[in-house]
Amino acid sequence: LSLKPGLRSSRPIGQMLRRSALGLAGRRFSTALAQEPAARLLEGRCALAQPWSERPKGTIDQMTGREVQTLSKHLGCELPSVDLTQSFNFEELEIIKQASDDAGGIVVFSHQKDTMTIHDHTRFARQLVASEDTVLEPHAVAAGHPLDSDVLEIVREANQHVVFGENWHSDHSFMGLTASYSILRIDDCPRFGVNDTLFSSTEDAFDGLSQTMQNLILDLNAYHSANKAYGVGHPGNSLAAMEGTDTMSMLAETPILESDVLQPCVTVHPRTGRRSIYVSPTFTTHVDGMKPEESKAILLFLCQWIARPEFCTRVSWRPNQVVMWDNRSLSHKGLADELTERRAVHRVTVRGVSPQNHRGESFSLTHKTKAAQGGLFEGVMDMPDAATAAARHMSA
Ligand code: SIN
């Protein structure tokens, strides 16, 4: 057993070790703790399968222009014994959150009831937010689902080439209070192994940097912009993606598009103390206090770094599957490698806090600036290395 570099916790070390030991990739859950009622939630816990043979070859990542590969073995776990339609007490929710921490922030709730509804989904999420003393955060730009406005329905129509959420991002990083957990439920499920959700552990990515590079970026801050991804006039962005669907639309009022917020480039996870690279090609516009060329070079490096296979895993979709991820540990993207099929997912998002750097400082509630011009690839993607990929005009 080894603790991950940078791991800090206010929990007793013995408890932490015991819990981390339970989180080892590939191990089935079979200790005394499993006998405790709440811990039955962990029965059958296993690492995520990586069924390479069933996935299409040659999916190109538009950030790097290279084939999508995923190599992380310890990222993510499947909890096959959690029925999300049940009621959960505080202790049970804490066990689920701990399982998420142990798995780097990805929990796959497989085998949900066929009868699970959108209301069951939000009911689980509302129990989770109550345990965190927070609220659900509806999307700030896209209109919510008619049955529950806290639900973002992300749709790709068959043969739609510009799709929503297709470049790396952490949910709501353009907001003062960003997202902690997102909970995604499949509604219209793709064939197994295509149109997966791809995750990068931005914590492993930070740990993978040299000490010198870590020190270089530790005190940098960068602006994040909703307008970059959802502003009008860009044929490849998420607004265009919404317009290409029969059901998605923009809210009537979108004040978030008017100003961008400052976030640390390296954030500290409030539960685990792990440090994370917190920039994305989707929402980050520029590093504060740098010349444009400097900012572009460093953002391009970081965005390509987080996309390296060793930090990534992908979650394939099966019917009746729900995936919860921690935006404070991960960046993610919805792959679009099979465009002939319709795909629809429902997302609910938990309001987190203003992200903090290693000094405990946060800026997003106080440091705002006039929104950058919309332009999905501006700032990060217009460097020579990314030119080919940018020309693909894929969306965020
Ligand atoms: C998202 O960006 O939240 C959605 C990811 C996906 O569609 O797989």
Side-chain angles (χ1 to χ4, degrees):
L1 170 69
S2 64
L3 290 180
K4 295 195 171 75
L7 185 69
R8 288 193 325 226
S9 172
S10 55
R11 285 189 295 278
I13 191 78
Q15 185 189 53
M16 219 169 66
L17 287 167
R18 186 173 65 139
R19 285 175 164 168
S20 295
L22 296 175
L24 287 175
R27 293 266 301 271
R28 311 269 323 173
F29 184 80
S30 62
T31 74
L33 188 57
Q35 306 313 317
E36 296 168 18
R40 285 206 197 104
L41 297 171
L42 299 178
E43 270 170 18
R45 168 163 61 172
C46 54
L48 290 181
Q50 299 282 310
W52 293 105
S53 56
E54 295 177 60
R55 290 183 168 138
K57 301 268 180 293
T59 306
I60 301 298
D61 173 28
Q62 81 271 31
M63 184 66 233
T64 59
R66 289 192 287 271
E67 196 172 323
V68 171
Q69 292 177 349
T70 60
L71 295 179
S72 176
K73 291 199 170 47
H74 67 265
L75 198 54
C77 73
E78 181 180 340
L79 296 185
S81 306
V82 181
D83 172 6
L84 293 175
T85 64
Q86 72 179 81
S87 294
F88 295 90
N89 62 31
F90 186 88
E91 187 195 356
E92 290 166 331
L93 292 165
E94 179 55 31
I95 281 178
I96 290 172
K97 285 182 255 183
Q98 185 63 44
S100 169
D101 292 345
D102 288 342
I106 308 170
V107 179
V108 175
F109 300 108
S110 50
H111 310 297
Q112 294 305 304
K113 285 185 177 141
D114 211 20
T115 50
M116 183 177 177
T117 65
I118 191 171
H119 304 297
D120 294 323
H121 183 188
T122 51
R123 183 163 161 270
F124 169 67
R126 290 199 173 96
Q127 293 173 76
L128 189 71
V129 299
S131 78
E132 299 261 295
D133 203 13
T134 183
V135 293
L136 291 180
E137 189 82 77
H139 200 272
V141 178
H145 193 282
L147 290 177
D148 189 325
S149 58
D150 283 333
V151 176
L152 173 66
E153 183 176 51
I154 304 174
V155 176
R156 302 170 183 182
E157 306 295 351
N159 300 314
Q160 186 184 345
H161 283 258
V162 176
V163 302
F164 193 95
E166 211 245 324
N167 207 348
W168 292 108
H169 63 284
S170 175
D171 289 336
H172 299 181
S173 73
F174 50 81
M175 297 185 72
L177 300 174
T178 62
S180 54
Y181 300 101
S182 294
I183 308 165
L184 201 66
R185 176 171 160 261
I186 196 75
D187 185 49
D188 195 347
C189 189
R191 178 161 54 84
F192 185 80
V194 299
N195 296 340
D196 295 348
T197 305
L198 185 64
F199 291 94
S200 158
S201 167
T202 43
E203 296 175 335
D204 289 351
F206 179 79
D207 291 345
L209 293 170
S210 68
Q211 185 79 56
T212 308
M213 191 60 169
Q214 289 180 353
N215 291 342
L216 195 75
I217 63 172
L218 212 48
D219 283 304
L220 297 181
N221 305 307
Y223 279 97
H224 290 235
S225 174
N227 201 47
K228 183 171 191 279
Y230 305 107
V232 290
H234 295 275
N237 74 2
S238 283
L239 177 60
M242 286 193 263
E243 285 166 348
T245 71
D246 293 339
T247 46
M248 293 183 79
S249 63
M250 206 155 150
L251 289 165
E253 305 282 328
T254 51
I256 195 79
L257 297 181
E258 281 153 33
S259 54
D260 300 344
V261 298
L262 192 65
Q263 305 284 14
C265 289
V266 179
T267 53
V268 178
H269 195 288
R271 286 176 59 89
T272 65
R274 291 193 70 192
R275 295 174 179 186
S276 203
I277 298 173
Y278 198 68
V279 299
S280 74
T282 301
F283 297 126
T284 312
T285 61
H286 65 283
V287 178
D288 194 33
M290 280 191 166
K291 295 190 170 178
E293 294 84 350
E294 297 166 344
S295 166
K296 281 178 190 174
I298 205 146
L299 288 178
L300 181 66
F301 168 74
L302 291 174
C303 291
Q304 293 191 333
W305 184 256
I306 64 171
R308 288 173 75 105
E310 60 267 39
F311 308 130
C312 294
T313 194
R314 57 193 278 176
V315 173
S316 296
W317 289 97
R318 296 180 196 273
N320 305 321
Q321 182 173 294
V322 175
V323 177
M324 180 173 110
W325 70 83
D326 191 330
N327 289 287
R328 303 163 296 186
S329 311
L330 300 155
S331 195
H332 66 278
K333 56 187 278 177
L335 283 173
D337 48 15
E338 174 50 274
L339 295 175
T340 62
E341 296 184 20
R342 185 178 186 275
R343 176 188 190 265
V345 289
H346 289 175
R347 191 181 89 195
V348 290
T349 307
V350 177
R351 179 186 285 176
V353 297
S354 176
Q356 291 188 353
N357 66 13
H358 67 116
R359 300 176 192 282
E361 298 165 332
S362 58
F363 312 103
S364 52
L365 292 173
T366 48
H367 291 58
K368 303 197 181 207
T369 191
K370 189 169 177 308
Q373 280 305 299
L376 202 57
F377 301 110
E378 301 303 320
V380 179
M381 298 286 281
D382 50 353
M383 297 294 287
D385 278 356
T388 316
R392 288 164 47 84
H393 276 294
M394 301 296 277
S395 89

